[in-house]
Every structure is written in C-alpha cells, then in structure tokens.
Amino acid sequence: MARSGRRFAALLVDWLIAYGLAGLCISLGLFSAPWLSTAVLVIWLVLGAVSVRLFSFTPGQYALGLMVVSVDNRMHVGIGRALGRGLLLTLVIPALFMDSDMRGMQDKFTFTAVVRR
C-alpha cells in the first residue's frame, strides 16, 4: 500500500497539471479568468477519472510510482468507480480518514486501493 505522503505528492502533481491546462484554456480564450478554480476542478476530475480508467494511474501517480487497483478482483477500475473516487476526493474529508490498511474512505467506498508499482 502507498503511504500518504507519496499519495499527497501525486495529488499535488495532478493539481498543478490541471492548473496548467486551465491556464492554457484561459489564454486561448475558451473561458474567462473568474472561472479558473471551477475549470481546474473539472479538469482535475476528468483527467483523473479517464487516466485511472485507461491506465490505472493518474499522471502524478505515474510520476511517483503509484497505481490504483481494484480490490474485488476486477481487471480494471471502471469509469464509474474512478469518477466516484474523484468526486469523493473533491470533498477532501473522506481522504483524511484512513483505516489500518492506509486506505482512505474514497478507496473503501469504491473498492479500490492505491499501491506502489
């Protein structure tokens, strides 16, 4: 299981990527600057859900050697579970509570775990 420090660092990398993409969208005129925080959140959520579904890791998790696995013997984490995980992470509170296996509540509710590759 991955430790919380490495997981937080991966989240920070993903968040910075989302900020960069949102800044790029603002500079291209796709939306205005007052919508920056909402755009960052939506980009982070979509980027995380799609990349977890396709590759089993987000860009930040890849950079730090982590991956998301299903704990109920499924081959991949589905898009529904990946979106659910992301939505719970946006609430922040579920990620603060971990069980003895170092799994946050977002992982418990979606039957996933973040492990080292």
Side-chain angles (χ1 to χ4, degrees), residues 51-93:
S51 62
V52 165
R53 170 57 188 102
L54 293 177
F55 309 113
S56 297
F57 48 75
T58 65
Q61 290 171 341
Y62 178 74
L64 289 156
L66 303 175
M67 67 184 294
V68 180
V69 296
S70 178
V71 295
D72 60 354
N73 296 328
R74 293 183 185 229
M75 189 173 204
H76 298 287
V77 177
I79 191 71
R81 286 185 183 190
L83 271 173
R85 238 181 131 262
L87 289 172
L88 287 169
L89 279 172
T90 61
L91 298 175
V92 177
I93 301 300

Short mmCIF file of all heavy atoms in Angstrom, two decimals, residues 51-93:
data_model
loop_
_atom_site.label_atom_id
_atom_site.label_comp_id
_atom_site.label_asym_id
_atom_site.label_seq_id
_atom_site.Cartn_x
_atom_site.Cartn_y
_atom_site.Cartn_z
N SER A 51 -7.78 8.86 -16.83
CA SER A 51 -6.47 8.20 -16.77
C SER A 51 -6.48 6.98 -15.85
O SER A 51 -5.82 5.98 -16.14
CB SER A 51 -5.38 9.19 -16.36
OG SER A 51 -5.63 9.70 -15.07
N VAL A 52 -7.24 7.02 -14.75
CA VAL A 52 -7.34 5.84 -13.89
C VAL A 52 -8.05 4.72 -14.64
O VAL A 52 -7.65 3.56 -14.56
CB VAL A 52 -8.05 6.17 -12.56
CG1 VAL A 52 -8.48 4.91 -11.84
CG2 VAL A 52 -7.13 6.98 -11.66
N ARG A 53 -9.08 5.05 -15.39
CA ARG A 53 -9.78 4.01 -16.15
C ARG A 53 -8.90 3.41 -17.24
O ARG A 53 -8.85 2.21 -17.41
CB ARG A 53 -11.05 4.60 -16.77
CG ARG A 53 -11.74 3.68 -17.77
CD ARG A 53 -12.09 2.33 -17.13
NE ARG A 53 -12.56 1.39 -18.10
CZ ARG A 53 -11.84 0.39 -18.61
NH1 ARG A 53 -10.59 0.22 -18.24
NH2 ARG A 53 -12.35 -0.44 -19.47
N LEU A 54 -8.18 4.26 -17.97
CA LEU A 54 -7.38 3.77 -19.09
C LEU A 54 -6.06 3.13 -18.67
O LEU A 54 -5.64 2.13 -19.24
CB LEU A 54 -7.11 4.90 -20.08
CG LEU A 54 -8.33 5.45 -20.82
CD1 LEU A 54 -7.91 6.61 -21.71
CD2 LEU A 54 -8.99 4.36 -21.64
N PHE A 55 -5.38 3.75 -17.71
CA PHE A 55 -4.01 3.33 -17.39
C PHE A 55 -3.81 2.82 -15.96
O PHE A 55 -2.73 2.37 -15.62
CB PHE A 55 -3.05 4.50 -17.62
CG PHE A 55 -3.19 5.15 -18.95
CD1 PHE A 55 -3.66 6.44 -19.05
CD2 PHE A 55 -2.89 4.46 -20.11
CE1 PHE A 55 -3.80 7.05 -20.29
CE2 PHE A 55 -3.03 5.06 -21.34
CZ PHE A 55 -3.49 6.37 -21.43
N SER A 56 -4.81 2.96 -15.10
CA SER A 56 -4.74 2.60 -13.68
C SER A 56 -3.90 3.56 -12.86
O SER A 56 -3.53 3.23 -11.74
CB SER A 56 -4.25 1.16 -13.48
OG SER A 56 -5.15 0.24 -14.04
N PHE A 57 -3.60 4.72 -13.37
CA PHE A 57 -2.90 5.74 -12.59
C PHE A 57 -3.12 7.11 -13.22
O PHE A 57 -3.41 7.21 -14.40
CB PHE A 57 -1.39 5.46 -12.49
CG PHE A 57 -0.73 5.13 -13.80
CD1 PHE A 57 -0.45 6.10 -14.74
CD2 PHE A 57 -0.39 3.81 -14.09
CE1 PHE A 57 0.16 5.78 -15.94
CE2 PHE A 57 0.22 3.49 -15.28
CZ PHE A 57 0.49 4.48 -16.22
N THR A 58 -2.99 8.13 -12.39
CA THR A 58 -3.04 9.50 -12.88
C THR A 58 -1.61 9.90 -13.26
O THR A 58 -0.66 9.19 -12.92
CB THR A 58 -3.57 10.46 -11.81
OG1 THR A 58 -2.65 10.49 -10.72
CG2 THR A 58 -4.95 10.03 -11.32
N PRO A 59 -1.43 11.02 -13.95
CA PRO A 59 -0.06 11.43 -14.26
C PRO A 59 0.82 11.60 -13.01
O PRO A 59 1.98 11.22 -13.01
CB PRO A 59 -0.25 12.77 -14.99
CG PRO A 59 -1.61 12.67 -15.59
CD PRO A 59 -2.42 11.87 -14.62
N GLY A 60 0.25 12.16 -11.96
CA GLY A 60 1.02 12.32 -10.72
C GLY A 60 1.36 10.99 -10.08
O GLY A 60 2.46 10.80 -9.56
N GLN A 61 0.44 10.05 -10.11
CA GLN A 61 0.71 8.73 -9.57
C GLN A 61 1.77 8.02 -10.40
O GLN A 61 2.62 7.31 -9.85
CB GLN A 61 -0.58 7.90 -9.52
CG GLN A 61 -1.54 8.38 -8.47
CD GLN A 61 -2.89 7.71 -8.57
OE1 GLN A 61 -3.26 7.14 -9.60
NE2 GLN A 61 -3.66 7.79 -7.49
N TYR A 62 1.73 8.20 -11.68
CA TYR A 62 2.75 7.60 -12.55
C TYR A 62 4.13 8.16 -12.21
O TYR A 62 5.10 7.41 -12.11
CB TYR A 62 2.41 7.86 -14.02
CG TYR A 62 3.45 7.30 -14.97
CD1 TYR A 62 3.53 5.94 -15.19
CD2 TYR A 62 4.35 8.14 -15.61
CE1 TYR A 62 4.48 5.41 -16.05
CE2 TYR A 62 5.30 7.63 -16.46
CZ TYR A 62 5.37 6.26 -16.69
OH TYR A 62 6.32 5.76 -17.52
N ALA A 63 4.21 9.47 -12.03
CA ALA A 63 5.49 10.11 -11.72
C ALA A 63 6.06 9.63 -10.39
O ALA A 63 7.29 9.55 -10.23
CB ALA A 63 5.32 11.62 -11.70
N LEU A 64 5.19 9.26 -9.46
CA LEU A 64 5.65 8.84 -8.14
C LEU A 64 5.58 7.33 -7.94
O LEU A 64 5.76 6.83 -6.84
CB LEU A 64 4.85 9.56 -7.06
CG LEU A 64 5.23 11.03 -7.00
CD1 LEU A 64 4.14 11.86 -6.40
CD2 LEU A 64 6.52 11.20 -6.25
N GLY A 65 5.32 6.58 -9.00
CA GLY A 65 5.36 5.12 -8.91
C GLY A 65 4.17 4.50 -8.20
O GLY A 65 4.32 3.49 -7.53
N LEU A 66 3.00 5.08 -8.36
CA LEU A 66 1.79 4.55 -7.73
C LEU A 66 0.79 4.11 -8.79
O LEU A 66 0.89 4.49 -9.94
CB LEU A 66 1.13 5.63 -6.86
CG LEU A 66 1.98 6.24 -5.77
CD1 LEU A 66 1.23 7.37 -5.09
CD2 LEU A 66 2.41 5.21 -4.77
N MET A 67 -0.18 3.32 -8.37
CA MET A 67 -1.27 2.96 -9.26
C MET A 67 -2.50 2.61 -8.44
O MET A 67 -2.40 2.27 -7.26
CB MET A 67 -0.89 1.81 -10.19
CG MET A 67 -0.66 0.49 -9.52
SD MET A 67 -0.10 -0.80 -10.65
CE MET A 67 -1.50 -1.01 -11.71
N VAL A 68 -3.67 2.70 -9.07
CA VAL A 68 -4.94 2.39 -8.43
C VAL A 68 -5.36 1.00 -8.89
O VAL A 68 -5.39 0.73 -10.09
CB VAL A 68 -6.03 3.42 -8.80
CG1 VAL A 68 -7.35 3.07 -8.13
CG2 VAL A 68 -5.59 4.82 -8.43
N VAL A 69 -5.67 0.13 -7.93
CA VAL A 69 -6.10 -1.22 -8.26
C VAL A 69 -7.46 -1.48 -7.64
O VAL A 69 -7.83 -0.88 -6.64
CB VAL A 69 -5.09 -2.29 -7.78
CG1 VAL A 69 -3.76 -2.14 -8.49
CG2 VAL A 69 -4.90 -2.23 -6.29
N SER A 70 -8.19 -2.39 -8.23
CA SER A 70 -9.47 -2.82 -7.69
C SER A 70 -9.22 -3.92 -6.67
O SER A 70 -8.41 -4.82 -6.91
CB SER A 70 -10.34 -3.34 -8.83
OG SER A 70 -11.56 -3.79 -8.34
N VAL A 71 -9.89 -3.88 -5.53
CA VAL A 71 -9.66 -4.89 -4.50
C VAL A 71 -10.66 -6.03 -4.57
O VAL A 71 -10.58 -6.97 -3.79
CB VAL A 71 -9.67 -4.26 -3.09
CG1 VAL A 71 -8.53 -3.30 -2.91
CG2 VAL A 71 -11.00 -3.60 -2.78
N ASP A 72 -11.60 -5.96 -5.51
CA ASP A 72 -12.58 -7.04 -5.62
C ASP A 72 -12.37 -7.89 -6.87
O ASP A 72 -13.31 -8.35 -7.50
CB ASP A 72 -14.00 -6.50 -5.54
CG ASP A 72 -14.31 -5.51 -6.64
OD1 ASP A 72 -13.39 -5.15 -7.40
OD2 ASP A 72 -15.48 -5.10 -6.74
N ASN A 73 -11.10 -8.09 -7.22
CA ASN A 73 -10.69 -8.99 -8.30
C ASN A 73 -11.21 -8.60 -9.69
O ASN A 73 -11.37 -9.46 -10.54
CB ASN A 73 -11.08 -10.43 -7.99
CG ASN A 73 -10.36 -10.94 -6.78
OD1 ASN A 73 -9.22 -10.55 -6.51
ND2 ASN A 73 -11.01 -11.80 -6.01
N ARG A 74 -11.48 -7.34 -9.92
CA ARG A 74 -11.79 -6.89 -11.27
C ARG A 74 -10.50 -6.54 -11.97
O ARG A 74 -9.53 -6.16 -11.34
CB ARG A 74 -12.71 -5.68 -11.24
CG ARG A 74 -14.07 -6.01 -10.72
CD ARG A 74 -14.96 -4.80 -10.78
NE ARG A 74 -16.24 -5.10 -10.17
CZ ARG A 74 -17.39 -4.82 -10.73
NH1 ARG A 74 -17.42 -4.22 -11.90
NH2 ARG A 74 -18.50 -5.11 -10.14
N MET A 75 -10.51 -6.65 -13.28
CA MET A 75 -9.29 -6.41 -14.03
C MET A 75 -8.89 -4.93 -14.02
O MET A 75 -7.72 -4.60 -13.88
CB MET A 75 -9.46 -6.89 -15.46
CG MET A 75 -8.22 -6.88 -16.27
SD MET A 75 -8.57 -7.69 -17.84
CE MET A 75 -6.95 -8.19 -18.28
N HIS A 76 -9.87 -4.03 -14.17
CA HIS A 76 -9.61 -2.60 -14.21
C HIS A 76 -10.57 -1.88 -13.28
O HIS A 76 -11.62 -2.39 -12.92
CB HIS A 76 -9.82 -2.03 -15.62
CG HIS A 76 -8.91 -2.61 -16.64
ND1 HIS A 76 -7.58 -2.31 -16.71
CD2 HIS A 76 -9.15 -3.49 -17.64
CE1 HIS A 76 -7.03 -2.96 -17.71
NE2 HIS A 76 -7.97 -3.71 -18.29
N VAL A 77 -10.21 -0.66 -12.93
CA VAL A 77 -11.12 0.22 -12.22
C VAL A 77 -12.01 0.86 -13.27
O VAL A 77 -11.52 1.50 -14.21
CB VAL A 77 -10.34 1.30 -11.43
CG1 VAL A 77 -11.30 2.27 -10.76
CG2 VAL A 77 -9.42 0.66 -10.42
N GLY A 78 -13.30 0.70 -13.16
CA GLY A 78 -14.22 1.23 -14.16
C GLY A 78 -14.35 2.74 -14.08
O GLY A 78 -13.94 3.37 -13.10
N ILE A 79 -14.95 3.32 -15.09
CA ILE A 79 -15.10 4.77 -15.15
C ILE A 79 -16.02 5.27 -14.02
O ILE A 79 -15.79 6.33 -13.46
CB ILE A 79 -15.59 5.26 -16.54
CG1 ILE A 79 -15.47 6.78 -16.67
CG2 ILE A 79 -17.01 4.82 -16.80
CD1 ILE A 79 -14.09 7.29 -16.76
N GLY A 80 -17.03 4.49 -13.67
CA GLY A 80 -17.91 4.88 -12.56
C GLY A 80 -17.18 4.94 -11.24
O GLY A 80 -17.34 5.89 -10.47
N ARG A 81 -16.37 3.94 -10.98
CA ARG A 81 -15.58 3.94 -9.74
C ARG A 81 -14.54 5.05 -9.75
O ARG A 81 -14.28 5.68 -8.74
CB ARG A 81 -14.88 2.60 -9.57
CG ARG A 81 -15.79 1.51 -9.15
CD ARG A 81 -15.00 0.27 -8.89
NE ARG A 81 -15.88 -0.82 -8.54
CZ ARG A 81 -15.47 -1.97 -8.08
NH1 ARG A 81 -14.18 -2.19 -7.92
NH2 ARG A 81 -16.32 -2.90 -7.79
N ALA A 82 -13.92 5.27 -10.90
CA ALA A 82 -12.92 6.32 -10.99
C ALA A 82 -13.55 7.70 -10.77
O ALA A 82 -12.97 8.55 -10.08
CB ALA A 82 -12.22 6.26 -12.35
N LEU A 83 -14.73 7.93 -11.35
CA LEU A 83 -15.43 9.19 -11.12
C LEU A 83 -15.88 9.32 -9.67
O LEU A 83 -15.77 10.39 -9.08
CB LEU A 83 -16.64 9.30 -12.05
CG LEU A 83 -16.40 9.92 -13.40
CD1 LEU A 83 -17.64 9.80 -14.27
CD2 LEU A 83 -15.96 11.35 -13.28
N GLY A 84 -16.38 8.24 -9.11
CA GLY A 84 -16.78 8.26 -7.69
C GLY A 84 -15.62 8.57 -6.78
O GLY A 84 -15.75 9.36 -5.83
N ARG A 85 -14.48 7.97 -7.05
CA ARG A 85 -13.26 8.25 -6.29
C ARG A 85 -12.89 9.72 -6.38
O ARG A 85 -12.57 10.37 -5.39
CB ARG A 85 -12.10 7.42 -6.88
CG ARG A 85 -11.45 6.53 -5.94
CD ARG A 85 -10.30 5.80 -6.65
NE ARG A 85 -9.17 5.94 -5.77
CZ ARG A 85 -8.23 6.84 -5.89
NH1 ARG A 85 -8.20 7.66 -6.89
NH2 ARG A 85 -7.27 6.91 -5.01
N GLY A 86 -12.94 10.26 -7.60
CA GLY A 86 -12.60 11.66 -7.80
C GLY A 86 -13.57 12.60 -7.10
O GLY A 86 -13.15 13.59 -6.48
N LEU A 87 -14.86 12.30 -7.20
CA LEU A 87 -15.85 13.13 -6.53
C LEU A 87 -15.67 13.11 -5.02
O LEU A 87 -15.81 14.14 -4.36
CB LEU A 87 -17.27 12.70 -6.92
CG LEU A 87 -17.69 13.02 -8.34
CD1 LEU A 87 -19.02 12.35 -8.68
CD2 LEU A 87 -17.78 14.52 -8.54
N LEU A 88 -15.39 11.96 -4.47
CA LEU A 88 -15.13 11.89 -3.02
C LEU A 88 -13.86 12.63 -2.64
O LEU A 88 -13.79 13.25 -1.58
CB LEU A 88 -15.07 10.44 -2.56
CG LEU A 88 -16.41 9.71 -2.53
CD1 LEU A 88 -16.20 8.22 -2.31
CD2 LEU A 88 -17.30 10.30 -1.46
N LEU A 89 -12.85 12.59 -3.50
CA LEU A 89 -11.63 13.34 -3.22
C LEU A 89 -11.86 14.85 -3.27
O LEU A 89 -11.19 15.59 -2.55
CB LEU A 89 -10.53 12.96 -4.20
CG LEU A 89 -9.78 11.68 -3.88
CD1 LEU A 89 -8.85 11.31 -5.02
CD2 LEU A 89 -9.01 11.81 -2.59
N THR A 90 -12.79 15.30 -4.11
CA THR A 90 -13.07 16.73 -4.15
C THR A 90 -13.68 17.22 -2.84
O THR A 90 -13.55 18.39 -2.51
CB THR A 90 -14.02 17.11 -5.30
OG1 THR A 90 -15.26 16.44 -5.12
CG2 THR A 90 -13.43 16.77 -6.65
N LEU A 91 -14.31 16.34 -2.10
CA LEU A 91 -14.86 16.71 -0.80
C LEU A 91 -13.78 16.82 0.28
O LEU A 91 -14.04 17.33 1.35
CB LEU A 91 -15.91 15.68 -0.36
CG LEU A 91 -17.13 15.55 -1.26
CD1 LEU A 91 -18.02 14.43 -0.78
CD2 LEU A 91 -17.89 16.86 -1.32
N VAL A 92 -12.61 16.31 0.04
CA VAL A 92 -11.42 16.33 0.90
C VAL A 92 -11.59 15.48 2.16
O VAL A 92 -10.71 14.73 2.52
CB VAL A 92 -10.99 17.76 1.29
CG1 VAL A 92 -9.81 17.76 2.23
CG2 VAL A 92 -10.69 18.58 0.06
N ILE A 93 -12.70 15.58 2.85
CA ILE A 93 -12.88 14.91 4.14
C ILE A 93 -12.68 13.40 4.06
O ILE A 93 -11.99 12.83 4.91
CB ILE A 93 -14.27 15.25 4.74
CG1 ILE A 93 -14.40 16.76 4.94
CG2 ILE A 93 -14.51 14.50 6.04
CD1 ILE A 93 -13.39 17.39 5.86
#
